[in-house]
Amino acid sequence: MDQVYRVLFNLGDKRYEVYVKEVTQSSLFGFIELADFVFDNHAQLLVDPSEEKLKSEFSKVQRTFVPMHSILRIDAVEKAGPAKIQEHGSVTPFPGPIYTPSQS
């Protein structure tokens, strides 16, 4: 069974929740690489518009690079759930430093 990861990250005024099979530290400094997106393909009567929006946004994407400071959480999960985009207001926090310099 392939490992599936749930990744939560902020971009602009949106919070993304996506499921991927591959999460790695990118060779681009300060980025996390997400690949092999998994979408819930259950035949349902109700269609979730946010999941459909994510499917179309990432349909031809092989890999995406998300800034490290935008990642909120990465969980290893047993199976993929519904991917979603949530609006969370117009205030975006200023990104913190990637490292903390030593106090000498």
Side-chain angles (χ1 to χ4, degrees):
M1 182 172 132
D2 290 336
Q3 182 65 60
V4 177
Y5 299 94
R6 176 178 55 210
V7 182
L8 298 169
F9 60 94
N10 290 330
L11 281 180
D13 63 344
K14 295 182 175 93
R15 176 167 294 155
Y16 288 72
E17 180 176 331
V18 296
Y19 291 84
V20 296
K21 291 185 179 178
E22 186 179 335
V23 177
T24 56
Q25 184 173 339
S26 171
S27 59
L28 297 169
F29 180 72
F31 286 85
I32 299 295
E33 186 176 339
L34 307 176
D36 203 3
F37 289 87
V38 178
F39 293 103
D40 194 8
N41 290 326
H42 295 128
Q44 297 177 355
L45 294 175
L46 297 174
V47 176
D48 184 2
S50 68
E51 185 171 21
E52 291 302 313
K53 186 176 179 182
L54 275 170
K55 280 183 185 179
S56 65
E57 184 174 339
F58 291 106
S59 66
K60 296 193 181 352
V61 175
Q62 294 176 353
R63 300 183 176 284
T64 191
F65 300 87
V66 179
M68 193 177 296
H69 64 268
S70 295
I71 300 285
L72 299 173
R73 184 175 177 155
I74 299 171
D75 296 320
V77 295
E78 290 182 12
K79 62 180 183 175
K84 45 189 150 176
I85 302 175
Q86 299 173 347
E87 302 281 335
H88 65 86
S90 59
V91 177
T92 303
F94 190 75
I98 293 175
Y99 69 95
T100 305
S102 63
Q103 302 286 333
S104 303

